[in-house]
Amino acid sequence: MARTVDPQRHEERRLHIIDAALTVIAACGYDGATTAAICRQARIGSGTFFHYFPTKVDVLLAILELGTDDVRRLREAVEGIEDPVAAVLRIVDQQIEDANDPRLGGFVRAVAAVMTEPRVAAALGADERAQRELLTQILAQGQEAGRVRTDLSVERLVAWVRLLMDGFLEQIATDPAFTAEREGPMLREMVRYVVSGAGRS
C-alpha cells in the first residue's frame, strides 16, 4: 500500500529546503552553492533534496517563483487601500522589508550571474510582468480619480517607479554601506514624488 503524503508537512519541508538554498546561494553564489552545501544547511540527505528538486536550478526557480507569488499576495493587500499613492508606497514598503533580509544582496548578485539561463530569464520575466501589471493598475486608476499626476503617462510612471525600486536593490547588492533600514525612507520619498508630483512648480 502506498504511503500517504501529508500536504502540509510536504510543503513545510519544501519551504525549509528553499530557505536553506537561499542562504547558501546568497553566501556562495549560484556556482558555488552545491547541492551538498544546501543539504548540510537544511540538515537533510541528498535523496530528500532531489525528491523535491531534480536539479539546483529547480530550487533557484522555486525561490524566484515565491517572489512572484508574493506579488500576487501584495495585490490582495493593496486592493483595500483607496489612496493610490498609499497603495504604491505599500508596495515600496514591502520591498524595503524584504531588503532587510541580510541574504538579499548576495542572492541578487547570484541571480545576476545566471539571468541569461532560459528558465531563470523566464522566471525573472514573469516576476517583472507581475510587478509592472500591479503598478499599472494602481496608477491608471489613480490618474482616472485625479489622485496621481497626469503630466506623465502611466507607462512612464511605472518605468520610473521600477527604476527607483530596482536601483535600490542594486545598490544594496553592491554597496555594503547602503542599507534598507537607512535608505528605505529616501526610496519612499522619491517614489512618492514621482507618483504624486508633489513640489512641482
Side-chain angles (χ1 to χ4, degrees), residues 126-199:
D127 183 69
E128 175 70 12
R129 285 191 300 275
Q131 293 189 48
R132 284 184 175 273
E133 286 169 6
L134 177 55
L135 285 169
T136 297
Q137 177 184 333
I138 294 169
L139 293 171
Q141 292 172 348
Q143 282 191 341
E144 290 173 7
R147 304 180 77 172
V148 167
R149 66 190 297 174
T150 56
D151 60 317
L152 298 179
S153 68
V154 170
E155 292 76 16
R156 286 184 69 191
L157 286 174
V158 171
W160 273 103
V161 172
R162 292 298 308 152
L163 177 64
L164 289 167
M165 293 175 69
D166 290 345
F168 178 77
L169 291 182
E170 183 178 347
Q171 280 298 111
I172 285 176
T174 57
D175 181 0
F178 192 97
T179 66
E181 182 178 6
R182 187 175 70 179
E183 305 298 344
M186 179 60 74
L187 175 64
R188 289 184 102 258
E189 183 178 330
M190 296 300 292
V191 170
R192 182 192 296 275
Y193 170 76
V194 166
V195 171
S196 68

Side-chain angles (χ1 to χ4, degrees), residues 1-5:
M1 181 177 177
R3 185 176 62 180
T4 59
V5 176

Side-chain angles (χ1 to χ4, degrees), residues 70-80 129-130 133-135 137:
D70 286 343
V71 177
R72 297 189 185 102
R73 284 189 287 274
L74 193 53
R75 178 185 293 275
E76 295 173 2
V78 301
E79 279 179 353
R129 285 191 300 275
E133 286 169 6
L134 177 55
L135 285 169
Q137 177 184 333

Side-chain angles (χ1 to χ4, degrees), residues 3-68:
R3 185 176 62 180
T4 59
V5 176
D6 180 344
Q8 181 177 346
R9 188 171 186 281
H10 183 275
E11 183 61 11
E12 287 173 354
R13 175 63 65 87
R14 179 177 176 275
L15 291 174
H16 175 69
I17 297 170
I18 288 172
D19 188 70
L22 174 58
T23 298
V24 175
I25 291 170
C28 305
Y30 180 74
D31 289 338
T34 64
T35 55
I38 295 170
C39 289
R40 285 194 299 273
Q41 179 69 28
R43 297 183 179 180
I44 59 171
S46 60
T48 299
F49 176 89
F50 291 116
H51 171 73
Y52 287 87
F53 303 103
T55 67
K56 184 172 67 171
V57 73
D58 285 300
V59 74
L60 175 64
L61 293 171
I63 297 171
L64 296 175
E65 287 162 6
L66 281 180
T68 304

Side-chain angles (χ1 to χ4, degrees), residues 113-127:
V114 292
M115 62 189 304
T116 57
E117 200 277 342
R119 293 171 68 195
V120 174
L124 291 171
D127 183 69

